[in-house]
Amino acid sequence: MTWETIRKDATPGVTPNLADYERTRADFTWSRARAALAGLPGGSGLNMAYEAVDRHAGADRGGKVALRCIGRDDTVSTVTYAELARRTARFANVLRSLGVGRGDVVFTLLGRCPELYTAVLGTLKNASVLCPLFSAFGPDPVEQRLRLGDARVLVTTASLYRRKVADRRPSLPGLAHVLIVGPGSGELPGTLSFDALTAAAPEQFTIPPTSPEDMALLHFTSGTTGAPKGAIHVHEAVVAHHATAAYALDLHSEDVYWCTADPGWVTGMSYGIIAPLVHGVTLVVDEGDYDARRWYRILGEQRVSVWYTAPTALRMLMRTTPRQERHDLPVTYGLSALRFVASVGEPLNPEAVVWGQEVLGLPVHDNWWQTETGCIMVANFAACEIRPGSMGRPLPGVEAAVLERGEDGRALITDGKVTVLEKPGVEGELALRPGWPSMFRGYLNDKERYEAAFADGWYLTGDLARRDEDGWFWFVGRADDVIKSAGHLVGPFEVESALMEHPAVAEAGVIGRPDPVAGNIVKAFVSLRPGTEPTPAMKRELLAFARRRLGPAVAPREIAFDQNLPRTRSGKVMRRLLRARELGLPTGDLSTLEGPA
Ligand code: ATP
Ligand code: MG
């Protein structure tokens, strides 16, 4: 099977086909999407947590399982919508009793434990602002973000607090309360017990009037291209979370849904907590770490029907599943409930789409968005033809365009004007017409940077893309990563994807290395699959393989083997770090780098 042949037929009445897509787009308005939500009782506004929890609990769906939490030891515990409503009300009361109110920022530094959901949704109920951190962050990134985000409250565990925050507490005078989940607060001065406080708090809480424009979430970007930026999101974003999860993830209330993204990253919040609960699904929450067999087991045992993951996770599955096991996988693990798989965060190599079809029996639906956009913008829809390697088509309510670019790869702005490239196939900066509800409202303390992200009525994404003649968008690269080589502009993604088609290659990261003749030459860092030796012969083979696929102008001139490509905690290859190491330049902000620097 070749990847060009992958298509999925429309399921009548369930998911739109292409004609339906055009019709849906034509009919769609954000105000209608807004009307699909309940709003706070008595017309007192729109609150994310109300839509996610209380609305279901109050509408005879309280007995439905909201969270199915799988502990590290595989024990499963469940939380119903009614119970989640009570727990989050208790936590909102705790905040209120501590004098924490509207607009105050509550940070979480937690793994995927049930208390995380209580803390996030309870904070939103109280009209306070939630900022999630990766629990794997070291002390510096934690302190940096607590300070930048003006943290008032931190919810964490004793061990994380001891290792990452306790020493820094004196330099964070604004951090008034630290709440410790689980045991240990007694031995830690200056902390309170999350469990004791919530147990003692009343389970009735009236959500205060919440304006759709009230700040709800603070999300730091992944830091792939530089220091992370704090993106501000408001309660109205829930309208977009709801609508886009229906279109791009095909979520229905009957679904059992699993999102593997860490809650410290925007995906783990928007589509790991808010959107699925607003849809009233049962959410699978896995506290454990990545492990291929465990993951297949969870998909099977929990009867997961919709799965949202990331290219890095899929590539790991591809790398660690022995070829002889692949054909039996759906049967061995009982994956028959699985009906939709989606991916986000990085370009999804066509290879991974094919792998999904062959091994899971389903193609993987790539979609594209950013921390700033707050929701999925461009997607391969459930029933549309998937074009592997493409990020898909703009969602209903989203207007996307490719803008003519200048020398630096960014959109060319002349007298405040930009040029929309109408002709298909031309590369330029991907831009979006602002106006969807989850659009970020600013970068924290950085008005200038926010304003610089707009021109001529467009939001400039910093990514390069092209549109084909049928309207599918293709990711080319980040403007910062594009390589100018001998008069050609080379997108690293294209080169990485070609290398990954070689059976020995697990992953690749491609950069430009300055060269006196060509300006830059294309250099690839390649990690090999287990069992393959990094020999000079393998290097030659890969160089020749890439040249055959890509032609001499685009193919890498150099290859280095690297079994540990640097990546962000959200799973993105940090090309800027590969480049800095190669050129002996300062490495810049590495707060989001996974593993030891
Ligand atoms: P920073 O802005 O701090 O450098 P970041 O851009 O990686 O970090 P995120 O907001 O987490 O932070 O990631 C958004 C970016 O991820 C997009 O701009 C794009 O470059 C990349 N991305 C996300 N989804 C896709 C996709 N499906 N295909 C290609 N690239 C994607
Ligand atoms: Mg970015």
Side-chain angles (χ1 to χ4, degrees), residues 28-37 46 48 51 233-249 270-271 274-276 278-279 369 372-377 395-398 435-441:
F28 184 91
T29 62
W30 284 112
S31 60
R32 219 168 300 144
R34 162 78 169 81
L37 295 175
L46 185 69
M48 272 185 187
E51 299 300 327
H233 290 284
V234 300
H235 277 273
E236 194 194 17
V238 68
V239 175
H241 297 151
H242 181 242
T244 55
Y247 289 119
L249 304 179
S270 305
Y271 297 98
I274 310 291
V278 176
H279 276 277
W369 57 294
E372 289 86 342
T373 70
C375 74
I376 301 169
M377 293 275 108
L395 287 174
V398 175
W436 67 94
S438 66
M439 176 62 171
F440 74 134
R441 301 300 199 261

Side-chain angles (χ1 to χ4, degrees), residues 221-225 229 265 345 347 366-367 370-371 463 478 572:
T221 60
S222 291
T224 314
T225 54
K229 303 154 280 217
W265 181 36
D366 188 18
N367 56 58
Q370 304 180 307
T371 307
D463 283 351
R478 295 165 184 266
K572 300 154 192 276

